[in-house]
Amino acid sequence: MSDVSGPPPRQRLRSLSGAFRVERGHGAEPGSVTVFVRDPDGVTVVRAATADDPPEELWHGLRGVSAHDLDQPGMLAALLVPLADAGVPVFVASTFDADLVFVPVERRDAAVGALRAAGHIVEP
């Protein structure tokens, strides 16, 4: 068992441009898909928002700037714990290159504040 004690890893995050919509995968246009996740029960996509999407259903994306090894413990938890403590809902997707954390657009400022207070660097 690995030792995960000590301070959580500080990370640099960059805001993704535009707003996003998280939804079940049916009907998503391939060019607009940012994240595509399939599990035994269905497909979830994160796609670029359109003018027709209800504002209360839009998400802001944050992307880790530096890739990290898959066996490095605590990387995602270091982001999610401050957001949970601030009461900010999240949708998360991870790749070999980055962790993507989506927060409701109307909670963006609270999310960025919580992450910065936890020692992370959040770029516009």
Side-chain angles (χ1 to χ4, degrees):
M1 187 164 179
S2 63
D3 178 15
V4 293
S5 61
R10 292 185 177 166
Q11 298 175 54
R12 181 179 302 271
L13 301 142
R14 182 170 295 129
S15 289
L16 299 175
S17 62
F20 298 88
R21 178 87 184 265
V22 178
E23 61 190 5
R24 297 200 188 287
H26 54 274
E29 294 294 324
S32 69
V33 173
T34 300
V35 175
F36 179 93
V37 179
R38 179 184 308 271
D39 77 2
D41 294 326
V43 173
T44 301
V45 297
V46 178
R47 63 166 174 80
T50 68
D52 296 332
D53 290 323
E56 67 276 6
E57 295 181 14
L58 300 183
W59 294 74
H60 175 76
L62 297 163
R63 180 184 189 279
V65 172
S66 300
H68 56 80
D69 291 334
L70 295 179
D71 64 353
Q72 189 171 355
M75 295 299 287
L76 193 53
L79 302 176
L80 299 184
V81 168
L83 295 174
D85 289 347
V88 177
V90 299
F91 180 83
V92 177
S94 296
T95 70
F96 275 99
D97 298 315
D99 291 316
L100 301 162
V101 178
F102 295 90
V103 299
V105 165
E106 70 271 7
R107 299 301 309 276
R108 180 201 180 279
D109 291 343
V112 169
L115 290 167
R116 286 180 175 155
H120 300 291
I121 298 166
V122 182
E123 301 172 352

